[in-house]
Amino acid sequence: MQTARRLYVYLISGIGLGLLVAGLAMMLSVLLDRLGLRGTVIGGEGDVIGQQLTLAAALVAVGLPVWLIHWVAAERSVRPERPGAAIERTSDVRGLYFALALGILLAVAASGVSSVVQGVADELIGGSDFGFPGIADGLAIAIVAGAAWIYHLAIRTRDWARGPMTGGGAWLPRTYVYVATFFGLVALLTGIGELIGVLGRVALGATPEFVDPSAERWWEYPLTSAVSAIVVGGAVWLGHAWYAGRLIRDPGWRGESERPARLRMAFFVAVILATATGTLYHLGEGAGSAISSAAGASLTSEGPVAAILLPILAAVPFAIAWWLHLGSMRAEALASGDEERIDTEARLELYPMALVGLAFAATGAAWLIGVLVDVVFGGRVLSGSEFVRDQVARYAPFAVLGIVLWIWAWGRISARVATDPVGEAASTTRRATLLVVLAVSVIAGVIAAAIVLYRLFGSLFGVEQGGDAIAELSLPIGVLLVGSAIAAYHGTQLRRDQALRSAAAPPEPAAPEIRMVELRLSGPADGDLAAVVAGMRAQLPPGFELEGAPPPT
């Protein structure tokens, strides 16, 4: 009953809050536009300002009382003097509400700040023809959503200050912290990579392939977009990373709750996957351009220096973030002094990197096998700049880089298996990794096999099918071969681990042998035989039983 009430109260509070924020932001946007900032006015013919203000007033008039009434009810239930306040404060529903409210408000406020930064940067460099969202709109959204975010953060901080939390009331808001930290970091790294690309091309006089060579100020939008991503992503990442770090160092119950949290370990794994992927991708792009240039292929309007050097430089921030987070995860595990956690950290460090390496290696190898099939059976000529640039030059670096990373990570994993085969076979991390790889490779293989059989059956049955059969089947054949090899290897590893776990499992204890001796109890006719039997049964040692038969009638 209480859960249903909580769901109703917090759901309607969230809806009312959304209407209120939208209405206030619209009002403030009109005000800022009247003060001289650029704003977007929504409306039809006639008095568009009045129409927008009327719509904003309606949203506020509906949203404010709906939110206020239900939020007051929610806050009344967590007052310390009320019975059940601790249960309400730590409830899963309240924790879910704060996780969603803080996350959505942060995303909305960040989009507003991004528009402001992008608009200001556009004004500073002389304006562009791309049409940025109004500065007034972005500033209004940032102010209103930011104020609502700060209010909810203050309320949640007060909840934490009133006592320990466990369960969903603790881990759901913690999820918000690490999700925001992750996306802030990704936005920051992406923005740095874009900024390197824009500034490098401007300095080298190189024009990107997708840009009209006659456009002199093509760099305006990419530059302002990169700057806004760096500013907003950096602020979100830095603020939440600082907050999470402060919790880790807290000597009280919050630090004890935060340090072993699985969500923090999951955050590190997600960062390792993202940064390793970004590093290999940019390095592969640069290496592919180098192969194309060496083979004499034209690198469009960018030139070889920009096409080779800039992707490699863009990989640097991803590699640095990869190295820093690996070091942080390792240092926290060592500081805990828990051997089990240290062992888990080593696995969480190696298996994600093996996954990334395997993904790049499999993708590159499948494409290259497909190209080889196309050349051998389709009559393509293994020469020409188009083939080198678009096929081998693009996918060979991914295959090589992926294989190198996978061999390095899997080699260390194999060393762990050789040292403690049973312990490694019993680890959840290893089992999950093998199952994920097996599932993905089987699914990819099944889809590829279906495509191959579709073309084959169509040919056997004389069905008219358009397109070049070899060209369309080359990639599915590559995927089928690579997926089958990967599935076979990892399936073998799974079976080996299962055998090790079964062999190491302790045998089930055998049922104890039971011997029975028949006893006959006699006594006076007026004696209480049942009481005597009960007294004897009470004196029996553990494991012995005494069964009494009913007296003869």
Side-chain angles (χ1 to χ4, degrees):
M1 188 66 180
Q2 286 299 317
T3 299
R5 173 189 172 277
R6 293 185 191 115
L7 287 171
Y8 164 77
V9 168
Y10 288 107
L11 176 62
I12 303 302
S13 295
I15 294 174
L17 179 64
L19 296 174
L20 178 61
V21 169
L24 291 177
M26 196 176 295
M27 283 184 177
L28 185 56
S29 177
V30 173
L31 175 61
L32 294 174
D33 182 72
R34 296 297 90 187
L35 293 177
L37 295 177
R38 290 188 300 169
T40 301
V41 179
I42 302 173
E45 298 179 356
D47 185 8
V48 292
I49 297 296
Q51 294 176 23
Q52 184 160 333
L53 287 176
T54 302
L55 175 60
L59 292 175
V60 173
V62 173
L64 179 59
V66 169
W67 174 74
L68 199 58
I69 291 172
H70 292 83
W71 187 247
V72 167
E75 282 294 278
R76 184 186 300 117
S77 63
V78 297
R79 291 177 181 174
E81 66 274 9
R82 292 183 64 88
I87 297 176
E88 189 72 26
R89 179 176 55 85
T90 60
S91 69
D92 294 356
V93 177
R94 186 173 176 88
L96 177 61
Y97 169 80
F98 275 102
L100 293 176
L102 289 170
I104 294 173
L105 289 171
L106 178 66
V108 173
S111 69
V113 174
S114 178
S115 297
V116 173
V117 173
Q118 200 166 356
V120 171
D122 178 46
E123 294 288 347
L124 292 176
I125 63 176
S128 72
D129 298 329
F130 290 94
F132 290 101
I135 295 179
D137 301 338
L139 185 58
I141 292 173
I143 291 174
V144 176
W149 180 83
I150 292 173
Y151 170 76
H152 282 77
L153 179 62
I155 296 297
R156 195 55 182 168
T157 303
R158 182 209 64 192
D159 286 352
W160 282 108
R162 286 179 176 175
M165 290 191 192
T166 57
W171 71 261
L172 286 168
R174 181 183 292 137
T175 303
Y176 151 77
V177 172
Y178 288 111
V179 169
T181 308
F182 174 78
F183 281 105
L185 177 63
V186 171
L188 172 64
L189 296 175
T190 304
I192 294 174
E194 292 178 355
L195 184 63
I196 291 173
V198 173
L199 295 181
R201 288 182 175 90
V202 171
L204 296 171
T207 304
E209 183 179 359
F210 57 86
V211 173
D212 183 1
S214 63
E216 297 181 357
R217 297 176 65 86
W218 60 267
W219 46 266
E220 288 181 1
Y221 181 79
L223 177 63
T224 56
S225 177
V227 170
S228 66
I230 292 172
V231 172
V232 177
V236 171
W237 168 71
L238 191 61
H240 289 79
W242 170 82
Y243 177 76
R246 192 183 69 170
L247 292 182
I248 290 295
R249 295 185 295 272
D250 188 290
W253 65 268
R254 291 207 64 182
E256 294 178 358
S257 171
E258 195 72 22
R259 282 186 286 272
R262 294 184 178 181
L263 275 170
R264 184 166 180 83
M265 301 297 288
F267 162 75
F268 280 119
V269 171
V271 171
I272 291 171
L273 291 172
T275 53
T277 300
T279 303
L280 265 64
Y281 174 78
H282 288 294
L283 289 177
E285 288 287 306
S289 298
I291 294 175
S292 295
S293 179
S298 173
L299 295 179
T300 66
S301 58
E302 288 189 317
V305 177
I308 297 171
L309 180 61
L310 296 182
I312 294 176
L313 291 178
V316 172
F318 285 91
I320 293 174
W322 183 7
W323 175 68
L324 289 176
H325 284 81
L326 276 176
S328 297
M329 184 172 68
R330 192 177 302 143
E332 289 182 13
L334 292 174
S336 69
D338 185 351
E339 292 297 331
E340 183 178 354
R341 181 176 176 182
I342 295 173
D343 207 37
T344 300
E345 183 277 330
R347 294 191 184 100
L348 294 178
E349 177 181 329
L350 295 174
Y351 283 99
M353 289 192 286
L355 280 176
V356 173
L358 184 61
F360 274 88
T363 302
W367 275 97
L368 293 176
I369 292 175
V371 170
L372 183 61
V373 170
D374 202 6
V375 169
V376 173
F377 299 100
R380 300 295 179 89
V381 179
L382 193 62
S383 62
S385 61
E386 181 180 354
F387 171 80
V388 174
R389 184 186 65 191
D390 295 339
Q391 304 297 326
V392 176
R394 180 167 183 82
Y395 295 106
F398 289 153
V400 172
L401 290 171
I403 290 173
V404 169
L405 179 60
W406 182 80
I407 289 177
W408 178 82
W410 200 255
R412 296 180 63 185
I413 291 170
S414 300
R416 292 176 57 87
V417 172
T419 303
D420 183 15
V422 175
E424 200 66 25
S427 74
T428 304
T429 304
R430 178 179 175 83
R431 196 182 313 176
T433 301
L434 294 175
L435 288 173
V436 166
V437 173
L438 185 62
V440 173
S441 57
V442 167
I443 291 172
V446 166
I447 295 174
I451 296 173
V452 172
L453 291 176
Y454 164 74
R455 297 291 307 202
L456 178 61
F457 290 159
S459 300
L460 292 176
F461 299 148
V463 178
E464 186 68 25
Q465 295 175 317
D468 185 350
I470 299 298
E472 292 184 3
L473 289 178
S474 58
L475 179 58
I477 291 174
V479 172
L480 180 59
L481 293 176
V482 173
S484 299
I486 293 175
Y489 175 75
H490 289 81
T492 302
Q493 294 290 308
L494 272 173
R495 292 183 60 186
R496 174 183 173 277
D497 290 353
Q498 179 62 41
L500 287 172
R501 289 193 299 269
S502 299
E508 296 184 3
E513 183 181 353
I514 298 177
R515 294 189 303 165
M516 299 183 64
V517 177
E518 293 188 4
L519 302 176
R520 182 176 296 274
L521 178 65
S522 60
D526 57 349
D528 190 352
L529 295 180
V532 175
V533 171
M536 296 173 61
R537 186 178 289 119
Q539 302 298 321
L540 292 175
F544 287 81
E545 294 183 4
L546 177 63
E547 297 180 2
T553 58

